[in-house]
Amino acid sequence: PWLVGHGLTHRAQSVDGPGARLLQRIPRRGCSARDVRGRGESDGAAPESYSLATDVEDVLALLEHLAIDRFQCVVTSMGGLIAMTLALKHAPRFLSLTLNDIGPELAQAGLDRIASTLGERTSRFASLEDYLDKAVFPYFYWLADRPREAVLRSARWAVQPNGDGTLSVRYDPAVSVGALEPETRRKVEDMLWKGFRKLACPVLVVRGEESDLLHPDTVRAMEESRGKHLPPLERIDVPATSHAPTLDEPGIPDTLVVLSDQSLPRSLSPSYEHSTLTDAAGTYRFTDVPPGRYTATFPLPLGYLGLRPESISVKVAAGAATEVLFPALSLPQRLYLPLARNRRTSLTSRTMTPP
């Protein structure tokens, strides 16, 4: 199964996008995401209980409740700190780990910015648009370039209604980053490094190209720490993005997709192949596809470097729509790495509809 974790002031619904794609790819494995204590629908707690040690205890309780022994893990920001702390004593339980814009060392600039966002915890907002303008875009400027409706859908889970018609953030005001003294911070980072180095599973690091929390030097140190006897760390940099990528980045538009019938040899007429271009959102659709087995192929888009085979097999049944999900940004099997700064990463759901 997949275990998906959110950031400091987020909640489980903030990972609905990547979680849904994981379920589409491998539905029988299941995907679990929780509201960390004091966030979302989880109860608040004593301020001193908001700690990595307590968070790990909560994760272990959840795993026991769900009877999960080993798991794939996709975590963002604070979720990654919890995962690396969990790995101190439970590293063999990780089948894979994706760290979204987080590592064992935290840049001070990012900590300062996150601390400043917590000043909005007692604010009230007239509307969801008001919340975006006052509490999101000033701190997460790069989201302003995303389709506003997509940002609104995500932000809807971050606030709760008040009795007077206003909105407020949906987390315990006692949640904080905490001002760590240099010695305390060093001990915390040493602990995180120990947990990270215990991981023998495949590890992927997704980093916002403009991240102020995960420094490139930290990622390089993480790569070097894997040595020769562990799977090398895979790394993805998301262009024009700070902390943290949403793992729901838009797809690549105007990309050629070719659909081929697997039951027919390539020497036959090209009429047995169908092609189309991805739309503005990076999605595509084939209609009137006879039942059978097909291969969808993606020639490399201009300005991208392929990391994995650009094709996938799919079985189309009579009278049913078939979703074809290519590897997502949050997984090591991702298709494309952007080489040009002005191009977006590939994270796309594709659909074929038979008659």
Side-chain angles (χ1 to χ4, degrees):
W2 297 95
L3 194 65
V4 185
H6 62 75
L8 180 68
T9 59
H10 292 195
R11 58 177 301 179
Q13 279 83 357
S14 66
V15 294
D16 275 354
R21 281 188 294 277
L22 293 173
L23 282 176
Q24 282 182 293
R25 270 193 94 220
I26 316 176
R28 287 174 292 181
R29 290 190 180 178
C31 181
S32 298
R34 68 191 178 102
D35 288 334
V36 176
R37 65 168 59 201
R39 286 80 164 179
E41 300 300 323
S42 288
D43 292 336
E48 62 270 17
S49 73
Y50 293 133
S51 67
L52 290 176
T54 305
D55 289 334
V56 166
E57 291 175 4
D58 290 344
V59 171
L60 291 172
L62 174 66
L63 294 174
E64 182 179 1
H65 175 72
L66 298 176
I68 295 175
D69 180 22
R70 305 186 70 197
F71 50 85
Q72 316 264 7
C73 194
V74 180
V75 282
T76 294
S77 195
M78 177 194 68
L81 302 181
I82 297 171
M84 286 181 282
T85 307
L86 177 65
L88 277 168
K89 295 183 178 179
H90 300 275
R93 302 180 70 172
F94 286 77
L95 295 171
S96 71
L97 174 62
T98 296
L99 293 169
N100 183 23
D101 213 61
I102 195 69
E105 295 180 18
L106 309 177
Q108 188 62 49
L111 290 175
D112 292 343
R113 179 186 52 78
I114 293 171
S116 70
T117 68
L118 296 177
E120 303 294 346
R121 55 191 161 190
T122 58
S123 299
R124 292 182 175 242
F125 306 97
S127 64
L128 201 55
E129 294 272 2
D130 188 42
Y131 167 70
L132 288 182
D133 291 336
K134 293 179 179 178
V136 176
F137 295 143
Y139 305 106
F140 305 95
Y141 61 89
W142 47 275
L143 288 176
D145 293 331
R146 300 286 170 83
R148 196 169 183 89
E149 183 55 39
V151 181
L152 281 169
R153 283 198 304 270
S154 176
R156 193 169 289 119
W157 298 107
V159 295
Q160 58 190 354
N162 302 310
D164 59 359
T166 62
L167 301 172
S168 59
V169 292
R170 196 187 292 260
Y171 61 87
D172 187 346
V175 170
S176 68
V177 175
L180 297 180
E181 295 295 328
E183 183 63 20
T184 303
R185 180 173 169 184
R186 185 186 65 79
K187 290 180 180 179
V188 170
E189 292 182 342
D190 284 348
M191 176 191 70
L192 294 173
W193 270 116
K194 289 177 182 177
F196 178 79
R197 291 189 177 107
K198 285 180 177 289
L199 291 162
C201 66
V203 176
L204 168 69
V205 172
V206 179
R207 179 181 179 272
E209 184 182 57
E210 300 171 9
S211 176
D212 57 1
L213 188 67
L214 180 59
H215 196 277
D217 290 346
T218 300
V219 181
R220 283 191 286 270
M222 294 167 74
E223 290 173 324
E224 294 169 359
S225 74
R226 300 293 284 174
K228 297 181 179 179
H229 304 293
L230 294 175
L233 180 142
E234 295 202 46
R235 170 180 175 175
I236 295 170
D237 291 292
V238 183
T241 300
S242 185
H243 181 80
T246 62
L247 303 184
D248 201 14
E249 277 67 30
I252 307 174
D254 300 322
T255 298
L256 179 67
V257 186
V258 179
L259 184 69
S260 306
D261 189 336
Q262 289 186 4
S263 65
L264 298 171
R266 286 185 172 274
S267 59
L268 292 183
S269 167
S271 62
Y272 291 103
E273 288 191 339
H274 308 271
S275 63
T276 189
L277 295 176
T278 55
D279 60 20
T283 64
Y284 67 82
R285 179 181 296 271
F286 288 103
T287 58
D288 298 326
V289 179
R293 290 189 176 276
Y294 295 85
T295 298
T297 304
F298 290 75
L300 281 175
L302 182 64
Y304 284 77
L305 170 68
L307 298 180
R308 293 290 183 270
E310 291 80 35
S311 65
I312 192 169
S313 298
V314 61
K315 182 179 179 180
V316 179
T322 301
E323 289 284 343
V324 182
L325 184 68
F326 268 73
L329 174 65
S330 58
L331 304 176
Q333 293 82 7
R334 174 176 167 271
L335 276 177
Y336 301 124
L337 173 68
L339 298 178
R341 183 181 175 86
N342 63 341
R343 299 299 296 272
R344 295 287 187 178
T345 52
S346 172
L347 183 60
T348 312
S349 175
R350 283 97 176 188
T351 304
M352 293 192 299
T353 307

